[in-house]
């Protein structure tokens, strides 16, 4: 998509937690002139590192007379990084809403057990439902 002399591109960002507690994120797509990665002690730090790198890359490209690709970010989390990033969510309550045993969900988020695709789909459906409820809420 091109708009006002810049290209807008969807960028799928994948978060992964390491066994040592650190976190990384990376962009799945190939973009001319650059790639994006971020590292930190938490998903928040990894995202901030990646976004800072993106701003620095755009500035360098502008200095070179190039029009940087504008990215529309879509974030993909493993369960551990998701619940660390959104630490205000109660893991057990989200598990119940998703129809997943809360004890099993805690094993997924601690890295003791790995969730299959079906469990991820249940969780995604529950999270989207929660987001829809929150979006419709007023005070």
């Amino acid at each position: 998509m091109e708009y006002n002399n810049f290209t807008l591109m969807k960028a799928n960002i994948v978060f992964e937690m390491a066994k040592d507690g650190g976190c990384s994120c990376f962009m799945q797509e190939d973009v001319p002139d650059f790639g994006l990665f971020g590292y930190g002690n938490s998903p928040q730090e990894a995202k901030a590192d990646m976004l800072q790198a993106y701003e620095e890359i755009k500035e360098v490209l502008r200095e070179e007379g190039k029009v940087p690709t504008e990215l529309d970010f879509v974030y993909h989390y493993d369960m551990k990084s998701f619940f660390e990033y959104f630490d205000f969510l109660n893991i057990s309550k989200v598990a119940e809403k998703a129809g997943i045993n809360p004890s099993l969900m805690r094993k997924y988020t601690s890295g003791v057990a790995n969730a299959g695709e079906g469990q991820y789909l249940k969780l995604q459906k529950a999270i989207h439902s929660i987001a829809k409820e929150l979006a419709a809420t007023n005070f």
Side-chain angles (χ1 to χ4, degrees):
M1 169 190 291
E2 189 146 332
Y3 182 76
N4 290 339
N5 295 328
F6 71 85
T7 302
L8 181 62
M9 178 181 168
K10 182 177 174 180
N12 288 289
I13 306 300
V14 177
F15 285 85
E16 295 177 340
M17 295 296 293
K19 292 193 186 292
D20 68 359
C23 186
S24 65
C25 62
F26 62 92
M27 184 172 68
Q28 289 182 316
E29 292 78 15
D30 292 325
V31 176
D33 299 317
F34 67 92
L36 281 179
F37 302 90
Y39 301 96
N41 291 321
S42 68
Q44 292 87 339
E45 286 182 14
K47 181 180 178 182
D49 183 49
M50 180 199 65
L51 293 175
Q52 179 180 347
Y54 177 50
E55 291 304 318
E56 291 169 1
I57 289 167
K58 289 193 313 186
E59 183 61 33
V60 169
L61 290 173
R62 286 187 192 105
E63 289 172 2
E64 294 174 352
K66 297 178 181 176
V67 177
T69 301
E70 293 294 327
L71 301 175
D72 180 23
F73 294 105
V74 177
Y75 299 103
H76 303 267
Y77 300 89
D78 61 12
M79 282 196 199
K80 188 171 184 177
S81 63
F82 176 82
F83 281 103
E84 185 165 328
Y85 191 88
F86 298 99
D87 60 358
F88 56 87
L89 292 174
N90 181 296
I91 294 171
S92 296
K93 295 292 184 183
V94 172
E96 289 173 12
K97 187 162 187 75
I100 299 172
N101 180 294
S103 176
L104 184 58
M105 178 70 94
R106 286 189 294 277
K107 288 179 182 178
Y108 294 153
T109 59
S110 69
V112 172
N114 293 319
E117 185 177 346
Q119 296 292 66
Y120 273 103
L121 291 174
K122 284 181 182 180
L123 179 60
Q124 182 172 321
K125 185 177 178 181
I127 294 300
H128 288 179
S129 173
I130 292 167
K132 189 175 182 179
E133 287 179 50
L134 288 172
T137 301
N138 294 296
F139 291 99

